[in-house]
Amino acid sequence: GLMAIIMVVGLLQSARYLNETLLETLILSAERARLAASLEQASAVNAQQNSQLLLENEERRAAEAEMLKAKNAAEEANKVKGEFLANMNHEVRTPLSAIIGMTEIALDTKLTADQRHYLEVIDRSSRSMLDILNDIRDSLRIDSGQLRLESVAFNLREIMEDVAGKLRVEADSKGLSLRIAVDPDVRQRL
């Protein structure tokens, strides 16, 4: 009797232990399945993100290649523009120098007032054009890194008169009067 009861109690305890172990095993198995699903989902997201990063990297490389191509094209176009402007500058400067020289010679001859006025307009206009050519040449030098700045003294009033003379013809053609006023306190030589 007692032995049978002890055996039944032992069997019950063993059954209870097996039941708890089985329950823990089921819980662990379910947890493992949940972790595996979570890992699989994370792997899928990671694969998608990697794919997206590869695509973005390819797009970035393509954009960089396009920018490099555009930069090279712009540099080539700038070089061609510079060569054209340098050639044009030279081709225009040569006959312009002849116009200025011949105008100076003509101004040293006996002229009527109208003839002198016309030649002076030609001289001023020619020199204005020469200034424009010099500006183009300086711009080309800036673009190529060859420009050197110099500090030179100049007469402010003369420069202002020169600029006004260049603008006066156009102002007169529009019925405008162009006058220059310089404060007497401003130094002449700067």
Side-chain angles (χ1 to χ4, degrees):
L2 185 56
M3 213 41 178
I5 291 180
I6 292 179
M7 277 179 97
V8 169
V9 169
L11 283 175
L12 285 175
Q13 285 180 342
S14 290
R16 190 165 149 229
Y17 173 75
L18 284 175
N19 191 24
E20 287 175 0
T21 302
L22 183 60
L23 184 60
E24 285 179 11
T25 301
L26 287 174
I27 290 172
L28 287 175
S29 182
E31 182 65 20
R32 186 174 52 226
R34 188 188 65 76
L35 287 174
S38 178
L39 181 60
E40 187 175 317
Q41 183 181 8
S43 292
V45 168
N46 189 25
Q48 183 181 7
Q49 289 174 341
N50 282 342
S51 177
Q52 182 65 29
L53 286 174
L54 288 173
L55 180 63
E56 288 174 7
N57 195 23
E58 288 176 19
E59 289 172 353
R60 182 184 53 79
R61 283 189 181 135
E64 286 175 355
E66 283 297 316
M67 287 190 322
L68 182 61
K69 185 177 173 183
K71 176 185 172 267
N72 290 339
E75 287 174 349
E76 181 62 25
N78 199 32
K79 179 182 172 190
V80 170
K81 176 193 80 168
E83 290 169 357
F84 168 77
L85 288 175
N87 187 44
M88 182 270 316
N89 190 303
H90 174 72
E91 294 298 325
V92 173
R93 185 180 297 275
T94 301
L96 185 60
S97 294
I99 291 170
I100 292 171
M102 295 305 288
T103 304
E104 287 176 355
I105 291 170
L107 284 169
D108 287 340
T109 64
K110 185 177 179 181
L111 302 167
T112 67
D114 283 344
Q115 290 171 329
R116 179 164 301 284
H117 172 72
Y118 296 145
L119 285 172
E120 287 172 348
V121 169
I122 291 170
D123 186 56
R124 280 194 307 272
S125 297
S126 298
R127 291 181 189 280
S128 293
M129 189 170 213
L130 186 61
D131 288 344
I132 291 169
L133 291 174
N134 289 337
D135 290 345
I136 291 170
R137 184 189 58 209
D138 290 345
S139 176
L140 293 171
R141 286 180 177 166
I142 288 170
D143 288 346
S144 66
Q146 298 175 351
L147 182 70
R148 291 182 318 193
L149 297 179
E150 297 176 350
S151 176
V152 294
F154 64 94
N155 185 314
L156 180 61
R157 284 184 178 83
E158 284 178 12
I159 298 234
M160 291 179 68
E161 283 295 331
D162 185 43
V163 170
K166 293 173 184 175
L167 299 174
R168 193 165 280 124
V169 173
E170 188 174 343
D172 288 345
S173 72
K174 295 181 180 182
L176 300 173
S177 174
L178 178 63
R179 292 183 289 161
I180 296 176
V182 179
D183 190 304
D185 292 338
V186 174
R187 295 184 334 199
Q188 281 194 1
R189 300 279 309 157
L190 299 174

